Amino acid sequence: MLRPRGSKKAAQFTESVIREMTRLAHQHGAVNLSQGFPDFPAPAAIKEAACAAINADVNQYAVTWGARPLREAVAREFSRRYALPIVADEQVTVCCGSTEAMIATLMAITNPGDEVVVFEPFYENYGPDAILSGAKPRFVKLRPPDSPDGEWTFDERELRAAFHSHTKAIIVNTPNNPTGKVFTRSELELIRDLCVEFNVLAITDEIYEHILYDGTRHISMAALDGMRDRTITINGLSKTYSVTGWRVGWAVAPPAITDAIRKVHDFLTVGAPAPLQEAGAAALGLPATYYQELAEGYRKRRDRLLPVLTEAGFRCFLPRGAYYVMTDISSFRFANDLEFVKYLVKDIGVASVPGSSFYDDARDGAQQVRFAFCKKDATLDAAGERLKKLRTRK
Ligand SMILES: Cc1ncc(COP(=O)(O)O)c(C=O)c1O
């Protein structure tokens, strides 16, 4: 008898560990510091804009590549922030979150056998994204700092060795999930030089561009000399406006690549939610103070959680951007991260993400765990209370 089975592609990856951790958190009544979604409200102005759009009957399909007001707002902000003129009609594609923008881009630009360079630890979607699009991920290590306030770094020679004739693209996520690394100008220039030398595209995931600490600055790869015509910039509403459930993101790319992305996007999802695209246009018009307060709010949350984790026995790698902290768990002497996170969620009551889910080889993340701090003070404090029990394990 023929048994229904999944495809060979689907067999090559597991379900999302991060989203599974959220389910476990619910099951055990744990404080959820696993998945990166805020547990506090989104800005009132953008919620009102969403309700107004629904009441005005913006309820049918938008133009497949994105409602004009949002595409124009994306182009306007990109041009203003990075002094790079962007044509909304030719270069912006609105998708169902930056998640769809990433996979639509990979499907639009890669052929079977192409390689895509990915820094690891990496946001867990990039691995399956590459497999689903038929490309092969090629990993380059980011190494954790030796000192508490040091930076994650990569080896220039290792990066160069990853580039060759089959390399189609490199994915750069800055500010970075899970490490909190903010790539410096000189690091991005080094990547730029390799892209130019090997005729490679850069796909940059800049979803945390506004969440920066300690005076770090976000540099957009597309704005570097020589990269305008070889960069696809991916971003979205989720993190900047605390609306991860709205599913609105976009890709900004040169016109020929945009044409290909739009075709893939149309047949994948047709379009992103129409009324929420209207609200997105309003969101991109929020004043500069909104973004300053956003970053400052997260800086305070970071500085609230890190001492608690350190006190409990974690070695924290100080994030310079985004809203996660990677930690080293070796002081707890668990065999691996999976056992540790299960213990943490069931016996201590705090959900986190096992480090191995950010690495190709699980052994590389076996003594690391990631916490998200995009949470209310009360949530962070409740986690802190529970983590006190952990000290006795050391
Ligand atoms: C680096 C990175 N890219 C993309 C996403 C998903 O973004 P979206 O909600 O726009 O699909 C996340 C979510 O955690 C992320 O951390």
Side-chain angles (χ1 to χ4, degrees):
M1 200 178 71
L2 185 69
R3 284 229 189 87
R5 255 197 283 157
S7 70
K8 283 186 190 151
K9 274 183 180 170
Q12 285 176 60
F13 50 88
T14 59
E15 74 164 323
S16 159
V17 177
I18 297 180
R19 292 178 272 287
E20 186 194 345
M21 286 310 299
T22 286
R23 284 196 295 277
L24 273 180
H26 287 311
Q27 195 182 324
H28 295 283
V31 178
N32 189 2
L33 301 189
S34 62
Q35 208 176 344
F37 60 82
D39 65 353
F40 45 82
I46 76 165
K47 290 191 288 191
E48 280 155 21
C51 294
I54 291 177
N55 286 327
D57 266 321
V58 184
N59 292 318
Q60 311 308 328
Y61 300 123
V63 178
T64 171
W65 49 82
R68 177 170 295 281
L70 177 56
R71 272 185 297 119
E72 282 182 347
V74 168
R76 182 195 69 225
E77 283 307 299
F78 205 92
S79 309
R80 190 182 63 78
R81 285 173 63 79
Y82 303 114
L84 197 68
I86 296 293
V87 182
D89 273 343
E90 295 173 9
Q91 293 180 265
V92 182
T93 309
V94 178
C95 295
C96 293
S98 64
T99 298
E100 194 226 333
M102 178 60 76
I103 192 145
T105 298
L106 285 168
M107 290 176 105
I109 63 168
T110 59
N111 290 308
D114 284 346
E115 288 192 6
V116 176
V117 179
V118 177
F119 288 103
E120 73 170 351
F122 54 89
Y123 172 53
E124 64 164 359
N125 280 34
Y126 302 154
D129 281 352
I131 293 165
L132 288 170
S133 63
K136 191 168 168 288
R138 172 116 183 195
F139 298 102
V140 171
K141 288 254 164 357
L142 289 174
R143 297 205 159 69
D146 299 326
S147 63
D149 60 351
E151 311 295 337
W152 292 72
T153 51
F154 58 86
D155 183 299
E156 199 177 318
R157 279 160 311 178
E158 195 185 325
L159 180 65
R160 169 167 274 279
F163 279 69
H164 57 91
S165 60
H166 294 307
T167 312
K168 183 70 193 208
I170 177 167
I171 297 178
V172 182
N173 169 219
T174 182
N176 185 262
N177 171 14
T179 64
K181 176 180 174 63
V182 178
F183 282 70
T184 62
R185 178 174 290 279
S186 60
E187 287 172 331
L188 292 171
E189 284 176 349
L190 190 87
I191 298 168
R192 183 263 322 265
D193 292 347
L194 289 168
C195 287
V196 172
E197 185 180 335
F198 289 86
N199 194 23
V200 163
L201 297 167
I203 310 172
T204 65
D205 180 340
E206 304 186 10
I207 187 121
Y208 299 103
E209 84 173 305
H210 293 285
I211 304 175
L212 298 163
Y213 316 117
D214 310 327
T216 46
R217 279 196 49 221
H218 173 69
I219 293 161
S220 210
M221 180 70 100
L224 295 188
D225 277 350
M227 287 310 282
R228 192 175 74 168
D229 295 332
R230 56 172 74 249
T231 304
I232 299 103
T233 308
I234 289 177
N235 211 325
L237 298 182
S238 286
K239 313 290 175 171
T240 306
Y241 305 102
S242 308
V243 286
T244 58
W246 282 17
R247 314 309 306 131
V248 178
W250 51 84
V252 177
I257 295 177
T258 296
D259 282 349
I261 295 173
R262 285 181 176 180
K263 280 194 283 182
V264 175
H265 157 72
D266 188 3
F267 289 106
L268 275 179
T269 63
V270 179
L276 304 181
Q277 294 191 50
E278 299 297 322
L284 269 81
L286 288 178
T289 48
Y290 172 77
Y291 301 95
Q292 286 150 13
E293 282 162 19
L294 179 83
E296 179 56 10
Y298 280 125
R299 204 263 316 144
K300 285 191 183 139
R301 292 181 184 100
R302 177 194 70 170
D303 294 350
R304 195 174 192 103
L305 183 65
L306 263 64
V308 172
L309 292 173
T310 306
E311 179 72 8
F314 295 87
R315 187 154 74 85
C316 295
F317 301 117
L318 185 71
R320 301 295 185 183
Y323 48 47
Y324 308 97
V325 53
M326 264 300 238
T327 65
D328 179 290
I329 57 164
S330 38
S331 77
F332 300 108
R333 295 189 196 89
F334 271 74
N336 62 49
D337 57 328
L338 293 175
E339 279 188 24
F340 181 77
V341 295
K342 275 188 203 143
Y343 168 75
L344 205 62
V345 77
K346 287 186 191 154
D347 296 8
I348 303 291
V350 176
S352 57
V353 179
S356 55
S357 60
F358 304 103
Y359 290 88
D360 184 42
D361 182 338
R363 286 169 298 186
D364 290 332
Q367 291 301 323
Q368 291 177 355
V369 160
R370 188 201 77 177
F371 293 90
F373 53 83
C374 45
K375 308 291 171 186
K376 293 190 281 230
D377 285 354
T379 312
L380 298 175
D381 292 348
E385 271 308 304
R386 290 171 181 215
L387 287 169
K388 282 184 187 157
K389 282 188 273 170
L390 193 57
R391 272 186 248 161
T392 56
R393 277 277 318 195
K394 276 199 291 171

